[in-house]
Amino acid sequence: MKDAYSLILAAIEAGTYRPGDRLVESELAERFGVSRTPVREALQRLETQAMLVRDGRSLIVASLDHNQLAELYTVRAELEALAARLAARHATPEEVRVLAQMVADDQRAVRDPEALARANKRFHHQIHLASHNRYLVQQLDLVHRTMALMAKTSLAAEGRGETALAEHKRIVDAIAAGDGAAADKALRQHISMAWETRLKLEAAVDRD
C-alpha cells in the first residue's frame, strides 16, 4: 500500500492537482482513505521539496516561472546526458533490448500526448537505471519530480510525438553501440528540442 506522500505526489504527476490548486488536508485524507496525520506529514515534506508553496494559510501546488524552467532544463540536460553516456558504457544487453522495445511500443501512443508523456517518463527512467549509478538516479528522480509542476507536456505540440520517438531511437542506437559521446549528444539534442518546443508553446499562449 502506498503512503500518503506517494499518493499525493502521484496525483500531482498525473495532473489531478495542477499548479495553483489548493490542497486541503481533510479532503486529501478522505480521497485517499488515510488519516490526517500522515497527510499532514506528507504535505510538510512536499513543501520542503518546493512542490507546494504557502498562499496565506493554505498550501497550493507550486508553479514554475520561465527562469525556473530554464534552470531545470539546463540541469536536466547535463544529468540526462551523463546518464546516457554511462548507459552506453554499463548497460547490459537485456537493458538495451528493453529500451529498444520501449521505443517500438511507444509508437502506439504517438497520438495520445498524455499516454506518451507517461511512456516518455518510463523510457528516461530506464536510461537512468542503465547508467548503474545510484547517486545519479537519485538526482534525476528529483529533477523529474519537479517536472511534474509543468502544467502541460511538450509532447502535446503538433508533431512533437513523432520527432521525440525518433530522438529516442537515436539515443538507444548510440547506447547499443556503446558510443558514449553519441549517446550524450543525442540526449542533449532531445532535451534541447523539448525545451524549444515548450518555449514555442509558451509563446503561443502569450499571443492568445
Side-chain angles (χ1 to χ4, degrees):
M1 181 179 175
K2 287 189 174 181
D3 59 21
Y5 170 83
S6 299
L7 290 167
I8 298 170
L9 182 60
I12 294 173
E13 291 177 337
T16 304
Y17 298 111
R18 295 184 175 274
D21 286 352
R22 188 165 65 100
L23 298 188
V24 180
E25 189 181 298
S26 57
E27 293 175 0
L28 291 168
E30 184 176 352
R31 171 189 280 269
F32 297 123
V34 296
S35 65
R36 293 178 62 163
T37 298
V39 169
R40 186 180 308 118
E41 292 170 350
L43 292 177
Q44 290 170 347
R45 183 178 172 188
L46 288 164
E47 183 183 8
T48 300
Q49 295 172 341
M51 296 292 289
L52 304 178
V53 294
R54 289 278 169 186
D55 180 23
R57 297 186 64 181
S58 300
L59 279 172
I60 63 172
V61 179
S63 57
L64 300 174
D65 62 25
H66 177 84
N67 288 337
Q68 288 173 310
L69 282 172
E71 292 165 4
L72 182 62
Y73 271 94
T74 296
V75 171
R76 184 187 175 197
E78 294 297 326
L79 295 180
E80 294 265 15
L82 174 58
R85 194 161 67 247
L86 291 175
R89 188 185 308 163
H90 300 301
T92 65
E94 294 83 1
E95 287 173 321
V96 173
R97 287 197 292 271
V98 167
L99 283 167
Q101 189 60 53
M102 282 180 163
V103 174
D105 291 345
D106 292 348
Q107 294 290 339
R108 294 196 296 267
V110 74
R111 302 295 180 189
D112 184 344
E114 297 304 323
L116 194 57
R118 291 191 295 271
N120 181 68
K121 183 179 178 182
R122 290 192 295 271
F123 173 79
H124 281 275
H125 187 62
Q126 189 62 38
I127 292 176
H128 306 166
L129 294 176
S131 75
H132 293 269
N133 187 304
R134 72 190 72 182
Y135 302 105
L136 180 58
V137 171
Q138 289 172 359
Q139 293 306 309
L140 280 161
D141 283 348
L142 175 60
V143 168
H144 278 260
R145 186 168 65 224
T146 306
M147 287 176 64
L149 299 176
M150 297 178 186
K152 189 175 185 181
T153 174
S154 63
L155 293 166
E158 184 67 31
R160 178 58 190 152
E162 291 90 341
T163 57
L165 288 180
E167 291 159 12
H168 282 184
K169 185 177 185 307
R170 284 195 290 274
I171 295 165
V172 175
D173 288 347
I175 292 173
D179 191 335
D184 181 301
K185 181 179 179 180
L187 207 307
R188 286 180 188 276
Q189 290 176 336
H190 177 55
I191 301 301
S192 177
M193 285 302 299
W195 176 223
E196 184 177 330
T197 302
R198 186 165 295 282
L199 287 172
K200 289 177 180 177
L201 289 173
E202 284 187 354
V205 170
D206 290 341
R207 286 199 303 269
D208 291 345

